[in-house]
Amino acid sequence: MPALTRGQKILAAVAVLIVALYVTGVATQNDQQSMADPTDNGLVQALGDWFGDPDPVDPADLTAPCRTGDTLTVEGSCVLTVARADADLREVALRPDAALHLHTRAPHDDTALDRDVPAGERIKVAVDGDGVDITLTCDKCTVTVGGSDG
């Protein structure tokens, strides 16, 4: 049998890596019948630990009529606008003091995203380089922009 060329060796290594990732993904999958949150998958969590989260949005790129410093005071609704930037993907961290509804656009897509956020829960909103409007709706609440997970 002739020896494998360098290209064939690389192709074989890639094939083995793909099979290993598939097997690891299946092995770490929860036994749920419904569609699971991909971030609950052990492989996805490990990759996230290796590569980390996107950088936070620069506070100078955020504008909103309800903004004072790192606080948004929402009465009814407020639109937080994230300006365009050279970064491919960034995140805006938000923590409301009361339940609110969030509406925005998915990064690199035109899909509308809606989420009800419980009081006190920190949520990270991914934003692509085109920027986006994030509409926050609640009767009366304050939302902290940025901050840590704690």
Short mmCIF file of all heavy atoms in Angstrom, two decimals, residues 20-47:
data_model
loop_
_atom_site.label_atom_id
_atom_site.label_comp_id
_atom_site.label_asym_id
_atom_site.label_seq_id
_atom_site.Cartn_x
_atom_site.Cartn_y
_atom_site.Cartn_z
N ALA A 20 -15.08 12.76 15.97
CA ALA A 20 -14.90 12.91 17.42
C ALA A 20 -15.82 14.00 17.97
O ALA A 20 -16.43 13.83 19.04
CB ALA A 20 -13.44 13.24 17.73
N LEU A 21 -15.96 15.11 17.28
CA LEU A 21 -16.86 16.18 17.72
C LEU A 21 -18.31 15.72 17.71
O LEU A 21 -19.07 16.03 18.61
CB LEU A 21 -16.67 17.43 16.87
CG LEU A 21 -15.39 18.21 17.11
CD1 LEU A 21 -15.26 19.34 16.09
CD2 LEU A 21 -15.34 18.76 18.51
N TYR A 22 -18.69 14.96 16.69
CA TYR A 22 -20.05 14.45 16.61
C TYR A 22 -20.33 13.51 17.78
O TYR A 22 -21.35 13.62 18.46
CB TYR A 22 -20.29 13.74 15.28
CG TYR A 22 -21.65 13.10 15.21
CD1 TYR A 22 -22.79 13.87 14.99
CD2 TYR A 22 -21.81 11.73 15.39
CE1 TYR A 22 -24.04 13.29 14.95
CE2 TYR A 22 -23.07 11.15 15.35
CZ TYR A 22 -24.18 11.94 15.12
OH TYR A 22 -25.41 11.36 15.10
N VAL A 23 -19.43 12.59 18.02
CA VAL A 23 -19.61 11.63 19.11
C VAL A 23 -19.67 12.36 20.45
O VAL A 23 -20.51 12.06 21.30
CB VAL A 23 -18.49 10.56 19.09
CG1 VAL A 23 -18.50 9.71 20.35
CG2 VAL A 23 -18.64 9.68 17.86
N THR A 24 -18.79 13.34 20.65
CA THR A 24 -18.79 14.12 21.90
C THR A 24 -20.09 14.88 22.04
O THR A 24 -20.67 14.93 23.14
CB THR A 24 -17.60 15.09 21.92
OG1 THR A 24 -16.40 14.35 21.74
CG2 THR A 24 -17.54 15.86 23.22
N GLY A 25 -20.58 15.46 20.97
CA GLY A 25 -21.85 16.19 21.02
C GLY A 25 -23.02 15.30 21.38
O GLY A 25 -23.87 15.66 22.19
N VAL A 26 -23.05 14.11 20.82
CA VAL A 26 -24.12 13.16 21.13
C VAL A 26 -24.00 12.69 22.57
O VAL A 26 -24.99 12.58 23.30
CB VAL A 26 -24.10 11.97 20.15
CG1 VAL A 26 -25.03 10.86 20.60
CG2 VAL A 26 -24.47 12.43 18.74
N ALA A 27 -22.78 12.44 23.02
CA ALA A 27 -22.58 11.93 24.38
C ALA A 27 -22.92 12.96 25.44
O ALA A 27 -23.34 12.60 26.54
CB ALA A 27 -21.13 11.48 24.55
N THR A 28 -22.75 14.24 25.13
CA THR A 28 -23.03 15.28 26.12
C THR A 28 -24.43 15.85 26.01
O THR A 28 -24.81 16.75 26.75
CB THR A 28 -22.02 16.44 26.00
OG1 THR A 28 -22.10 16.99 24.68
CG2 THR A 28 -20.61 15.97 26.29
N GLN A 29 -25.22 15.35 25.10
CA GLN A 29 -26.58 15.85 24.88
C GLN A 29 -27.50 15.39 26.01
O GLN A 29 -27.40 14.29 26.50
CB GLN A 29 -27.09 15.30 23.55
CG GLN A 29 -28.50 15.69 23.21
CD GLN A 29 -28.88 15.16 21.83
OE1 GLN A 29 -28.07 15.20 20.93
NE2 GLN A 29 -30.07 14.66 21.70
N ASN A 30 -28.39 16.28 26.43
CA ASN A 30 -29.39 15.92 27.44
C ASN A 30 -30.43 15.00 26.81
O ASN A 30 -30.70 15.06 25.62
CB ASN A 30 -30.10 17.17 27.96
CG ASN A 30 -29.16 18.07 28.73
OD1 ASN A 30 -28.17 17.61 29.27
ND2 ASN A 30 -29.48 19.35 28.79
N ASP A 31 -31.08 14.15 27.63
CA ASP A 31 -32.13 13.26 27.14
C ASP A 31 -33.47 13.96 27.13
O ASP A 31 -34.41 13.54 27.79
CB ASP A 31 -32.20 11.99 28.01
CG ASP A 31 -30.98 11.12 27.83
OD1 ASP A 31 -30.37 11.16 26.75
OD2 ASP A 31 -30.64 10.39 28.78
N GLN A 32 -33.58 15.05 26.41
CA GLN A 32 -34.82 15.81 26.33
C GLN A 32 -35.48 15.54 25.00
O GLN A 32 -34.82 15.39 23.99
CB GLN A 32 -34.55 17.31 26.48
CG GLN A 32 -33.98 17.69 27.83
CD GLN A 32 -33.71 19.18 27.88
OE1 GLN A 32 -33.91 19.90 26.92
NE2 GLN A 32 -33.30 19.65 29.04
N GLN A 33 -36.82 15.50 25.02
CA GLN A 33 -37.57 15.27 23.79
C GLN A 33 -37.75 16.57 23.00
O GLN A 33 -37.84 16.55 21.80
CB GLN A 33 -38.94 14.67 24.11
CG GLN A 33 -38.84 13.31 24.77
CD GLN A 33 -38.16 12.28 23.89
OE1 GLN A 33 -38.32 12.29 22.68
NE2 GLN A 33 -37.38 11.40 24.49
N SER A 34 -37.81 17.71 23.72
CA SER A 34 -38.01 18.98 23.03
C SER A 34 -36.66 19.58 22.62
O SER A 34 -35.61 19.09 23.01
CB SER A 34 -38.75 19.95 23.95
OG SER A 34 -37.96 20.22 25.09
N MET A 35 -36.72 20.64 21.85
CA MET A 35 -35.52 21.31 21.39
C MET A 35 -34.81 21.92 22.59
O MET A 35 -35.37 22.73 23.30
CB MET A 35 -35.89 22.41 20.39
CG MET A 35 -34.70 23.12 19.84
SD MET A 35 -33.96 22.18 18.54
CE MET A 35 -34.48 23.11 17.15
N ALA A 36 -33.60 21.53 22.84
CA ALA A 36 -32.84 22.01 23.99
C ALA A 36 -32.10 23.29 23.65
O ALA A 36 -31.79 23.55 22.49
CB ALA A 36 -31.85 20.94 24.44
N ASP A 37 -31.79 24.05 24.68
CA ASP A 37 -30.97 25.25 24.52
C ASP A 37 -29.55 24.78 24.19
O ASP A 37 -28.96 24.02 24.95
CB ASP A 37 -30.99 26.04 25.82
CG ASP A 37 -30.19 27.33 25.74
OD1 ASP A 37 -29.52 27.57 24.72
OD2 ASP A 37 -30.24 28.10 26.71
N PRO A 38 -28.97 25.21 23.07
CA PRO A 38 -27.64 24.74 22.70
C PRO A 38 -26.58 25.06 23.75
O PRO A 38 -25.59 24.37 23.86
CB PRO A 38 -27.33 25.44 21.38
CG PRO A 38 -28.49 26.26 21.03
CD PRO A 38 -29.54 26.11 22.08
N THR A 39 -26.78 26.11 24.53
CA THR A 39 -25.79 26.45 25.55
C THR A 39 -25.80 25.47 26.71
O THR A 39 -24.91 25.50 27.55
CB THR A 39 -26.01 27.88 26.08
OG1 THR A 39 -27.32 27.97 26.65
CG2 THR A 39 -25.85 28.91 24.99
N ASP A 40 -26.80 24.57 26.78
CA ASP A 40 -26.82 23.53 27.80
C ASP A 40 -25.95 22.33 27.41
O ASP A 40 -25.71 21.45 28.22
CB ASP A 40 -28.26 23.04 28.04
CG ASP A 40 -29.11 24.08 28.74
OD1 ASP A 40 -28.54 24.97 29.40
OD2 ASP A 40 -30.34 24.00 28.62
N ASN A 41 -25.49 22.28 26.18
CA ASN A 41 -24.68 21.18 25.70
C ASN A 41 -23.25 21.31 26.25
O ASN A 41 -22.65 22.38 26.19
CB ASN A 41 -24.67 21.18 24.17
CG ASN A 41 -23.89 20.04 23.59
OD1 ASN A 41 -22.67 20.05 23.61
ND2 ASN A 41 -24.60 19.06 23.05
N GLY A 42 -22.70 20.21 26.78
CA GLY A 42 -21.36 20.23 27.36
C GLY A 42 -20.29 20.66 26.38
O GLY A 42 -19.36 21.39 26.73
N LEU A 43 -20.38 20.20 25.13
CA LEU A 43 -19.39 20.57 24.12
C LEU A 43 -19.45 22.07 23.84
O LEU A 43 -18.42 22.74 23.76
CB LEU A 43 -19.62 19.78 22.83
CG LEU A 43 -18.71 20.14 21.66
CD1 LEU A 43 -17.26 19.86 22.01
CD2 LEU A 43 -19.12 19.36 20.42
N VAL A 44 -20.66 22.61 23.71
CA VAL A 44 -20.82 24.04 23.44
C VAL A 44 -20.25 24.85 24.61
O VAL A 44 -19.57 25.86 24.42
CB VAL A 44 -22.30 24.40 23.19
CG1 VAL A 44 -22.49 25.90 23.09
CG2 VAL A 44 -22.79 23.73 21.91
N GLN A 45 -20.51 24.41 25.85
CA GLN A 45 -19.97 25.11 27.02
C GLN A 45 -18.44 25.07 27.02
O GLN A 45 -17.79 26.07 27.33
CB GLN A 45 -20.53 24.49 28.31
CG GLN A 45 -22.00 24.79 28.50
CD GLN A 45 -22.59 24.04 29.69
OE1 GLN A 45 -21.96 23.19 30.29
NE2 GLN A 45 -23.83 24.38 30.01
N ALA A 46 -17.86 23.92 26.67
CA ALA A 46 -16.40 23.81 26.64
C ALA A 46 -15.81 24.74 25.58
O ALA A 46 -14.82 25.44 25.83
CB ALA A 46 -15.98 22.37 26.36
N LEU A 47 -16.42 24.78 24.40
CA LEU A 47 -15.94 25.68 23.35
C LEU A 47 -16.07 27.13 23.77
O LEU A 47 -15.20 27.96 23.50
CB LEU A 47 -16.69 25.42 22.04
CG LEU A 47 -16.38 24.09 21.35
CD1 LEU A 47 -17.32 23.89 20.16
CD2 LEU A 47 -14.94 24.02 20.92
#
